[in-house]
Amino acid sequence: MHAACAVERAGKCSHCDKPLGGGGGYVQFSDGNKVHEDCKAAYLETDDALKCGHCKKQIKKDPPQFSGKFFQSGAYKIHAECGDGWAEAQADKCRHCNGPVLPIPGRFKGSFKRDAEGGKVHSECWPDYQFKKGGWTPPPDPAAQAPVPAPAPAEVVPELSEADWGITDGGAADGDGDGE
């Protein structure tokens, strides 16, 4: 390759704006910016340096918002504090609710099933997804059923004595025991 072509292909330094090619080393950051080895320290102090792949803000210690800690995800560096948002944005989406297939306390355990096309569906969404597709009828949801009314209180009947029934001396009203 011609020297002039190498210089043009490499581009310009994001810090000093001079050509990168021609034998001098350079560093490429996760956000695509390239700088000369000699410009790296100064570049890292600028607002253009090392941006978070999620929020696009510079990765540096900036209390109370950012600790300065980050993790690498593919070609991107992500603030530790942006981790949950990054994970949700990058996660596979549920074919039923379009939410991220991740554990989300109070909503999803993070488990999933695959549909016929290989897409992911939250385990919690699976019954409704199958019903919507016409392949399965979900069991009735006990929480959605109309509440069963409480039984009416029993009628209080006063206790009757034998005299109230007309029973005297062993059940024979006329005294001869035949009940007549």
Side-chain angles (χ1 to χ4, degrees), residues 105-154:
R107 287 188 62 204
F108 302 114
K109 293 183 279 185
S111 59
F112 63 90
K113 297 184 185 258
R114 291 207 180 263
D115 65 6
E117 294 87 33
K120 293 181 179 179
V121 179
H122 292 115
S123 295
E124 295 84 353
C125 293
W126 186 253
D128 290 337
Y129 178 76
Q130 288 295 311
F131 181 71
K132 184 178 173 184
K133 291 285 190 181
W136 181 72
T137 303
D141 180 5
Q145 292 180 355
V148 177

Side-chain angles (χ1 to χ4, degrees), residues 6-7 20 39 57 97 100 102:
V7 169
L20 290 169
C39 294
K57 293 183 180 175
C97 73
L102 294 172

